[in-house]
Amino acid sequence: MGDASAAQLVGRSGELARLDAVLAGLGQSGVPAVVDIAGEPGIGKSRLLGEACARAEQAGFTVLRGRATEYEQHVPFQAFTDALADAAPGSPAADPALAEAGSVLHDIRHVPGDASHAGATARFGTHRAIAEFFARLGERGLVLAIDDLHWADPASRELVDHLVRHPARGRVLLVVARRSRQTPTPLTAALTRGADSGAVLHLALEPLPEQESLRTLALDIPEDHAKQLYTASEGNPLYLLSLLHAYRNGAPLPSITAHAVATDAVGVPSGLAALLLDELTALTEPQRRIVEAVAALGDHATSAMLAVATGLTVRCVEDQTGALVVRDVLRAGPGGRWALRHPLVRALVYENIAPHRRAEVHRRAAQELARSGAPATERAHHVERSLTDWDPTAAAVLSEAAAQFASTAPATAAHLLDVVLRRMPDTPAHTRRRGELVLARARALGVSGNSRESRNLLHTLIEASGKDHPELRTQAIAQCAVMERHLGHSPEATALLRRELSRHPGPSPGQAVSLRLALGMSALLTASYPDARADVAQAVAVARSDDDPTGEAAALALAALGEAYEGETEAATRFADAACRLADALTDPGLTDLCESLVWLGWAEVVLERYTDAERHITRGLDIARRSGQLHVLPHLLTSRAFLHLNTCRLPSALEAAEEAESIARAAGSRDLLAFTLAIKTLVLLLARPLGDNSALTTGEEAVAATSGSKGWWSALAWCMLGHATFVSGDPHRAQEAIMTAGGGTELPLLQPSVRPGQLDSLAGAALATGDIDQAERWAAQAEREADRLGLGGQRAAALRAGAALAEHRGDTGEAVRLLDAATEEYVRCGQPLWEAYSLLRAAPLVQSAGQGPRAAAMWHRAHRIAVGGGARLLVDLAELIRPQVMAEATAIPAELAELTPRELEVAGLVAEGLSNQEIAARLHLSRRTVETHLSSIYRKASVPSRSALAGLMTRIGLDSQRNT
């Protein structure tokens, strides 16, 4: 099969050209940072990936190549540790960044749980750290190639997902090869999203062309026979080469082409499997034992380990591996490891080892690793594969490894615990330990995104615990309530919690506080906090009487957030003050068990516009949650930080926090949580991206899609943020529909009072844009009433902005400026510089038109300075758009068009150019209905009866302007 290279590049000139283009433009705007090579087994993915690596090396790139493996799918980060094998600790790596990246992944595999290193950066911190290491290599170029990605362990898949959504800076290219049909759905979705956004180049490999294949590979074979062999191969290069090889070695043509059924174990045609295995029949017994051991040992297949696993001497192993290399059965890999020449060969060999011999190889490997002092995390794979019955010692190793993997690779932890539980005897002696392991597995499943499986497991545990293990039962119920909420089942969570609280005898005081807090949280998410107000008050009372300051602080914080959402500002402030005093007096260890208290307190302070206190508590909460591995708390803390940094005009850090929250939400598998994080990200993107950028709109649409029609606070937030994004993109009709969908009608009865004024401001602006003045006035009046009741500066300012928009529409420039000045002062007082800048930019043109040029210029400069310093690209672009109006004399507008708004002038100009309504909509990113609304207003204001008359007017005015210049 020496012509394999030629065969697998037949017909791939188009793919190679696209790869060359990516390498040439890597690091430039618009050039993908990920290449996704997909196709069926044997289609040439690995060969194309190898050619990409060879070309990158010729161009001077650093190239790292790793492979995911079928039988190590529960070894965390295996695909990446393979790629970074030469940069592992203690090796002479050429670059410190590579050595550091290898060290982080090595430590996760070998010493997890070390809070000073890997444990402190657990899971998502590791993703960011690895991306940073790769970015440091970006100046001279780095290509990271991962083969057989469909077999990657969950931790490796999450890291790929992160690199797709957050490509490393500089000239860094990730190239992956995978089987399309065997790729897990979430990974396929991540790569598809990346392709849609332009971050991923997708190369789907098709069968090779017949004529080119036979002309290159089968000139020595009769044409009719060659065509039969090609037909049997279905254009698959690996299959074609194997069939040609068999034919040339004398196999009868009918027997070669007769088998096309795929094997269950490996997924290749059975005829090909027989051909590949036939090569091994000529091996000696020692050689066959070595080949089988290599297939079983994977990453541990060094000569020394092969000697242990086979019982042969090291000298014998070295002699036989040399002979196997000559036969191209084995190939040398990094770190002195041996591998079979192709993953399909490994799979066929592994599946054909006698089960008892296979278990014995793994058992010997596990024993040797234990003898050499390897940690449980490194031994776990071989211990699992060697199990044939219940073994308490093996179970202890797997349980220890699961505990250490819980924060960095929870899917692996869940798998290892499942292995233990399936082997553990179902006897009374094991009942307590079984319950503890089930609870641990349910937590790991929940964290790794398997919320439904976690919830089902917890239901079983709750019923099995009964009266004999009340503490275990209560823990399971509290965890189950979280899973129910993640699945959008808040009513079920509430019913479960109330049932437990009503039991006799009831839970202990500490457990009762925990359960009532869970009730309060469920009520918040379903916008029904008043229903749980008494439960939260009871939690405060129980914690206080039980001398539990941590529980009391948490209950007070939850009460503060609940009252803040409901618009009860005075009560929320009292609760926040009390919670703040208690929380600040507690140590970090004292807060660890109820880290959620800092989530609730931080969000309450954000809603109450107490940003300094909120920053302090959110930062502390993030530190505690990361150190203690409380992943479920992080998205809520990160979104509160994102929202806080947005209001205080720190858009880069706001986007960083929002994107980290999104990563965790995606991994958690909760659609509602994903909708929540994407909603916050939508608002951040809206302000952080330039005018005309569609990323906020796309993210808002995904946020709404993630809600799947569910009701509650998170769903409402997603619809509101989509409304803002559509309004800015120029579609006021859709903006109104989105916000009213969130609020349940024109008066927004389903939205919390604390956010209504801001939403009503947007609705009033949208109504003005559509020409519905009466509705705009009603919404502006409601915003004023709601804001007066709240007494919050930012919400008052939003209502003032709505009034200013109406005054401007009426032509009362003085009143509009007065109201915008008042709004600006409110934003200054409450510490929201982003919205201060926006109000200044709204006011500056009006001030200029009132003849106050110097003041208008000063307003513009301050707003521009805030926007630039805070990374608010939307406001920077808005400032540049109005600069000519504010900084110089306004261009004279003909009297016939004096009443037209800037958008209406733009639409009128495009009509004069001959564009249809649909073409205008596409040019301006508006809906066709919005264009029609603008035209109706233009006809009225310009006193023209028709489209042709408007075009004539615009043409005449244009000619007059040219004659006057």
Side-chain angles (χ1 to χ4, degrees):
M1 297 190 192
D3 51 354
S5 174
Q8 291 178 326
L9 286 178
V10 169
R12 303 300 184 211
S13 57
E15 288 86 353
L16 288 169
R18 297 175 76 184
L19 281 166
D20 286 341
V22 170
L23 287 170
L26 195 58
Q28 299 175 18
S29 176
V31 176
V34 180
V35 174
D36 173 30
I37 302 172
E40 64 183 33
I43 200 69
K45 303 180 299 298
S46 298
R47 183 66 189 92
L48 185 61
L49 182 138
E51 182 64 21
C53 291
R55 295 185 179 208
E57 285 178 336
Q58 291 172 3
F61 286 78
T62 297
V63 175
L64 301 173
R65 185 167 178 178
R67 182 189 295 276
T69 51
E70 183 174 10
Y71 301 106
E72 286 79 27
Q73 293 183 59
H74 294 289
V75 178
F77 296 104
Q78 184 273 329
F80 285 89
T81 52
D82 187 41
L84 290 163
D86 291 333
S91 69
D95 192 285
L98 286 180
E100 197 171 352
S103 176
V104 168
L105 293 178
H106 181 275
D107 283 354
I108 289 171
R109 289 270 298 276
H110 294 265
V111 287
D114 177 4
S116 66
H117 197 140
T121 62
R123 203 176 177 190
F124 299 100
T126 299
H127 300 167
R128 295 191 302 276
I130 295 298
E132 278 298 313
F133 299 142
F134 293 156
R136 282 158 51 185
L137 298 165
E139 283 190 22
R140 67 175 178 276
L142 170 69
V143 170
L144 176 67
I146 303 295
D147 204 354
D148 289 329
L149 186 67
H150 52 280
W151 282 329
D153 60 276
S156 291
R157 297 200 302 263
E158 284 184 353
L159 182 49
V160 169
D161 180 44
H162 178 87
L163 293 172
V164 168
R165 287 185 291 107
H166 309 288
R169 297 185 306 277
R171 298 172 66 228
V172 179
L173 180 66
L174 172 65
V175 187
V176 300
R178 63 187 176 91
R179 298 181 189 174
S180 304
R181 282 179 286 190
Q182 289 179 249
T183 304
T185 301
L187 182 56
T188 299
L191 291 165
T192 301
R193 282 195 305 270
D196 292 342
S197 69
V200 175
L201 169 63
H202 180 63
L203 299 178
L205 300 192
E206 300 295 334
L208 300 184
E210 179 179 359
Q211 291 302 318
E212 188 176 351
S213 300
L214 298 184
R215 187 170 57 250
T216 304
L217 303 170
L219 283 176
D220 60 327
I221 295 176
E223 184 178 356
D224 58 334
H225 288 190
K227 287 185 175 183
Q228 290 182 56
L229 293 169
Y230 174 86
T231 301
S233 75
E234 296 182 342
N236 184 296
L238 179 64
Y239 301 177
L240 177 58
L241 284 169
S242 298
L243 297 175
L244 291 170
H245 177 76
Y247 180 87
R248 290 185 177 115
N249 281 277
L253 186 65
S255 68
I256 298 174
T257 59
H259 305 288
V261 180
T263 63
D264 291 336
V266 180
V268 300
S270 55
L272 174 63
L275 290 172
L276 292 173
L277 285 172
D278 186 57
E279 290 184 67
L280 306 182
T281 58
L283 300 182
T284 66
E285 178 59 22
Q287 287 174 343
R288 187 171 188 86
R289 285 161 61 188
I290 289 172
V291 167
E292 290 178 345
V294 169
L297 292 174
D299 283 352
H300 289 121
T302 62
S303 293
M305 186 63 85
L306 287 172
V308 172
T310 60
L312 301 172
T313 66
V314 173
R315 178 60 183 272
C316 179
V317 167
E318 290 173 347
D319 290 343
Q320 298 303 329
T321 50
L324 290 165
V325 168
V326 172
R327 300 178 69 102
D328 195 26
V329 175
L330 291 189
R331 292 180 181 175
R337 294 175 295 167
W338 295 101
L340 289 156
R341 72 162 183 272
H342 195 282
L344 290 177
V345 176
R346 182 191 179 188
L348 288 166
V349 170
Y350 191 87
E351 295 299 331
N352 282 276
I353 304 173
H356 70 280
R357 289 173 61 183
R358 188 165 55 210
E360 181 61 23
V361 169
H362 286 296
R363 186 176 297 109
R364 289 187 178 196
Q367 290 170 348
E368 177 62 15
L369 289 170
R371 189 194 63 76
S372 63
T377 48
E378 191 175 356
R379 290 181 277 149
H381 167 68
H382 293 297
V383 170
E384 173 200 344
R385 293 273 173 172
S386 67
L387 274 180
T388 56
D389 204 346
W390 171 244
D391 181 343
T393 303
V397 172
L398 296 178
S399 299
E400 181 185 350
Q404 293 176 334
F405 280 140
S407 63
T408 53
T412 297
H415 169 76
L416 295 176
L417 291 170
D418 183 47
V419 171
V420 174
L421 287 165
R422 281 190 283 109
R423 299 287 185 184
M424 179 178 280
D426 190 8
T427 62
H430 293 91
T431 299
R432 176 70 188 189
R433 181 58 178 160
R434 173 179 288 277
E436 292 169 348
L437 293 178
V438 168
L439 183 60
R441 181 165 184 261
R443 286 172 175 159
L445 286 168
V447 170
S448 60
N450 295 291
S451 299
R452 188 169 299 281
E453 189 177 355
S454 173
R455 174 252 195 199
N456 293 342
L457 200 60
L458 289 164
H459 274 208
T460 302
L461 178 59
I462 289 166
E463 294 304 316
S465 298
K467 297 179 180 179
D468 296 332
H469 303 285
E471 185 176 345
L472 191 63
R473 173 190 172 86
T474 302
Q475 291 179 50
I477 286 172
Q479 180 70 20
C480 189
V482 174
M483 292 302 102
E484 296 284 16
R485 291 201 302 267
H486 278 186
L487 292 166
H489 302 162
S490 286
E492 288 87 341
T494 298
L496 185 68
L497 293 163
R498 290 205 179 282
R499 177 188 171 197
E500 183 65 12
L501 283 166
S502 67
R503 290 172 66 89
H504 295 285
S508 67
Q511 291 172 335
V513 168
S514 177
L515 294 173
R516 291 190 189 279
L517 292 178
L519 274 173
M521 187 62 184
S522 291
L524 274 177
L525 298 181
T526 54
S528 58
Y529 179 76
D531 295 343
R533 185 177 272 135
D535 291 289
V536 177
Q538 183 67 15
V540 173
V542 170
R544 188 172 293 158
S545 65
D546 196 42
D547 192 22
D548 176 11
T550 302
E552 185 181 353
L556 288 167
L558 184 56
L561 181 56
E563 301 300 348
Y565 273 175
E566 293 301 317
E568 302 297 335
T569 305
E570 289 187 12
T573 301
R574 288 197 307 274
F575 286 128
D577 287 341
C580 182
R581 286 192 297 270
L582 277 173
D584 288 349
L586 290 167
T587 64
D588 284 359
L591 276 169
T592 297
D593 288 343
L594 268 176
C595 192
E596 288 93 336
S597 61
L598 293 174
V599 173
W600 302 326
L601 181 55
W603 261 116
E605 289 166 335
V606 167
V607 174
L608 293 171
E609 301 171 355
R610 296 164 53 153
Y611 297 128
T612 300
D613 286 339
E615 182 90 59
R616 184 163 53 84
H617 292 129
I618 291 167
T619 300
R620 188 181 182 195
L622 286 168
D623 289 343
I624 294 172
R626 285 189 169 122
R627 284 201 307 270
S628 58
Q630 297 187 60
L631 200 64
H632 65 287
V633 179
L634 287 177
H636 306 283
L637 288 164
L638 288 164
T639 48
S640 61
R641 168 174 276 182
F643 191 66
L644 188 159
H645 284 199
L646 176 131
N647 283 314
T648 53
C649 205
R650 291 175 279 172
L651 274 301
S653 57
L655 185 57
E656 181 182 349
E659 288 182 334
E660 185 181 354
E662 177 197 356
S663 295
I664 299 171
R666 287 191 187 280
S670 167
R671 295 185 65 84
D672 280 349
L673 183 58
L674 179 61
F676 173 55
T677 58
L678 288 175
I680 297 296
K681 183 182 176 183
T682 297
L683 187 58
V684 176
L685 285 171
L686 191 62
L687 277 300
R689 294 287 190 252
L691 195 62
D693 184 281
N694 287 326
S695 56
L697 185 58
T698 301
T699 304
E701 288 170 340
E702 186 183 356
V704 165
T707 66
S708 301
S710 63
K711 301 296 182 183
W713 168 238
W714 289 350
S715 173
L717 186 66
W719 278 104
C720 284
M721 295 305 105
L722 177 61
H724 295 313
T726 53
F727 186 32
V728 171
S729 70
D731 193 344
H733 289 287
R734 190 181 179 200
Q736 289 182 83
E737 291 170 2
I739 296 175
M740 286 192 293
T741 297
T746 56
E747 295 186 358
L748 311 184
L750 299 183
L751 284 186
Q752 272 70 32
S754 59
V755 300
R756 276 190 207 142
Q759 306 308 315
L760 290 162
D761 170 37
S762 296
L763 284 173
L768 286 174
T770 62
D772 191 346
I773 312 306
D774 291 342
Q775 184 60 66
E777 288 177 343
R778 286 193 290 273
W779 274 327
Q782 184 183 350
E784 184 177 2
R785 291 193 302 273
E786 300 263 8
D788 286 343
R789 186 176 82 81
L790 286 172
L792 295 171
Q795 297 298 323
R796 271 199 301 264
L800 288 165
R801 281 206 320 252
L806 278 169
E808 182 182 0
H809 179 81
R810 292 193 300 265
D812 191 346
T813 301
E815 177 65 3
V817 170
R818 185 189 70 79
L819 292 171
L820 286 171
D821 281 344
T824 301
E825 291 171 6
E826 289 285 2
Y827 287 131
V828 171
R829 277 195 291 269
C830 70
Q832 295 185 18
L834 178 85
W835 304 113
E836 175 196 349
Y838 176 59
S839 298
L840 289 168
L841 292 174
R842 285 271 302 271
L846 300 176
V847 172
Q848 171 67 263
S849 68
Q852 302 177 51
R855 180 174 179 236
M859 296 169 78
W860 185 93
H861 279 297
R862 173 164 175 76
H864 187 261
R865 189 163 55 250
I866 292 171
V868 170
R873 286 292 307 278
L874 180 74
L875 297 190
V876 172
D877 287 357
L878 178 59
E880 293 302 329
L881 279 177
I882 68 171
R883 180 199 284 264
Q885 297 173 257
V886 175
M887 308 302 287
E889 291 296 325
T891 303
I893 297 175
E896 297 95 328
L897 307 178
E899 292 185 24
L900 268 60
T901 67
R903 178 63 93 184
E904 289 169 348
L905 282 169
E906 196 173 15
V907 170
L910 294 175
V911 167
E913 291 179 22
L915 272 67
S916 68
N917 286 2
Q918 188 60 48
E919 290 168 335
I920 294 171
R923 177 80 63 86
L924 301 181
H925 304 290
L926 302 175
S927 70
R928 183 169 180 167
R929 186 168 56 169
T930 299
V931 172
E932 292 167 352
T933 299
H934 283 315
L935 282 173
S936 297
S937 177
I938 292 167
Y939 295 156
R940 186 182 71 255
K941 293 178 180 179
S943 299
V944 293
S946 65
R947 187 186 197 88
S948 59
L950 174 62
L953 173 63
M954 295 298 292
T955 302
R956 187 178 71 254
I957 289 171
L959 291 172
D960 289 345
S961 299
Q962 290 177 22
R963 282 194 292 268
N964 292 332
T965 56

